[in-house]
Amino acid sequence: MRWWLVLIVLFTSCARQKPERFSREAIRRPKALPIIILDPGHGGANDGTKMAMAPYIKEKTLALDTALKVRDILEQWGYKVRMTRTRDVFIPLAERVTFAKQHRGYAFISIHFNHAPNKNANGVEIFYSHKSNFTPSSKKLAKDVLDSICKRTQAASRGIHPGDYHVLRENGAMPAILVEGGFFSNVSDAKKLSNPQYIRTLAYSIAQGIDDFVQQDCR
Ligand SMILES: [Zn+2]
C-alpha cells in the first residue's frame, strides 16, 4: 500500500470514531434560554420546619441557600433567573405567584425541606401542579428534577405526587413544582443536609434537572 493511501485509511478510521462526550457547558446552545422562577419557601417570621438536632438549621434558611446556589449555576449556563425572595423575608403565597406571572417564567420551582412525625421518613419527593392544562409539563419537570437529584445525591426517592399547594395550583399555564429536598426530622437526612458540599450537589442536581426539562420540552 502506498504511503498516502495508508494516511487516508488512518484518517477515515479516526473520523469514524465516536465523538468525544462534551460537558454540559460545552454543548450549551447559543439560543436564548428561558426565564426560570425560583421560590425559596417560607422566610421572615415563617421559619418552616427546623432540624431537631445540631446544627438546628431552619427550613427557610436552607431553602434560600439552596435556591441561591441553583440560581448561580443556571445563570452560568445562560438562563435568566428570577427569585421570589433573595433574603430572609416572608412573601405571601399569592405574591409569589403574581411575581412568577409578571416575569413570564417558563417554569416555577419552589424549594422546601420536609418534616414528619415518623423519624424514619427520609428522602426526596416532588409535588407538581395537577389542576391546570399544563399538568403533563409539570409532571415531566417533577420527574426530570427528581431523577437528577436521586442520581447525583444518592438520596432515596419518594416519588412525584400531585400537590394542592397554592403556588402550584394558581400558577396557571406555567409548569410548577415543589421540591422537598429531604427530611429535617430524619437523623441521616439532617446530617447530609447540614453539609455544605451536599447542598452544592443538591443545587447542581436541581439545576441539571431543570435544564434537562428545558432542553427536551417541545411546547
Ligand atoms: Zn416548607
Side-chain angles (χ1 to χ4, degrees), residues 24-25 28-29 31-39 66-83 106-109 111 141 145 148 200 202-215:
R24 187 168 289 251
E25 288 77 2
R28 187 141 307 282
R29 298 175 196 168
K31 71 166 189 175
L33 289 164
I35 296 169
I36 304 297
I37 310 289
L38 297 179
D39 175 47
T66 308
L68 287 169
K69 287 181 169 60
V70 176
R71 177 193 68 182
D72 291 349
I73 295 161
L74 287 174
E75 284 183 346
Q76 274 175 28
W77 292 349
Y79 284 90
K80 293 183 186 70
V81 178
R82 302 288 178 265
M83 294 184 60
Y106 183 86
F108 179 98
I109 294 92
I111 296 178
L141 175 60
V145 173
S148 178
R200 274 193 287 277
L202 177 65
Y204 194 76
S205 64
I206 293 172
Q208 294 224 359
I210 295 167
D211 188 54
D212 289 342
F213 171 76
V214 171
Q215 303 291 356

Side-chain angles (χ1 to χ4, degrees), residues 136-216:
S137 281
S138 290
K139 204 171 172 180
K140 176 79 171 59
L141 175 60
K143 188 177 181 315
D144 285 344
V145 173
L146 184 71
D147 286 352
S148 178
I149 292 175
C150 293
K151 187 170 120 191
R152 295 182 169 89
T153 67
Q154 316 298 321
S157 170
R158 300 176 64 86
I160 60 171
H161 319 281
D164 196 18
Y165 295 98
H166 184 98
V167 292
L168 304 184
R169 189 179 61 237
E170 305 300 328
N171 249 316
M174 202 179 306
I177 62 169
L178 188 147
V179 178
E180 290 281 5
F183 280 77
F184 275 13
S185 46
N186 177 266
V187 174
S188 170
D189 271 13
K191 196 177 167 197
K192 283 193 291 186
L193 294 167
S194 308
N195 180 345
Q197 179 55 46
Y198 183 86
I199 296 303
R200 274 193 287 277
T201 307
L202 177 65
Y204 194 76
S205 64
I206 293 172
Q208 294 224 359
I210 295 167
D211 188 54
D212 289 342
F213 171 76
V214 171
Q215 303 291 356
Q216 298 158 27

Side-chain angles (χ1 to χ4, degrees), residues 49-59 62 113-116 118-124 155 181-199 202:
T49 186
K50 187 179 169 185
M51 281 182 192
M53 64 289 288
Y56 303 104
I57 298 172
K58 291 172 179 169
E59 183 185 359
L62 198 62
F113 294 92
N114 232 332
H115 182 276
N118 174 3
K119 301 272 181 283
N120 292 324
N122 71 96
V124 177
F183 280 77
F184 275 13
S185 46
N186 177 266
V187 174
S188 170
D189 271 13
K191 196 177 167 197
K192 283 193 291 186
L193 294 167
S194 308
N195 180 345
Q197 179 55 46
Y198 183 86
I199 296 303
L202 177 65

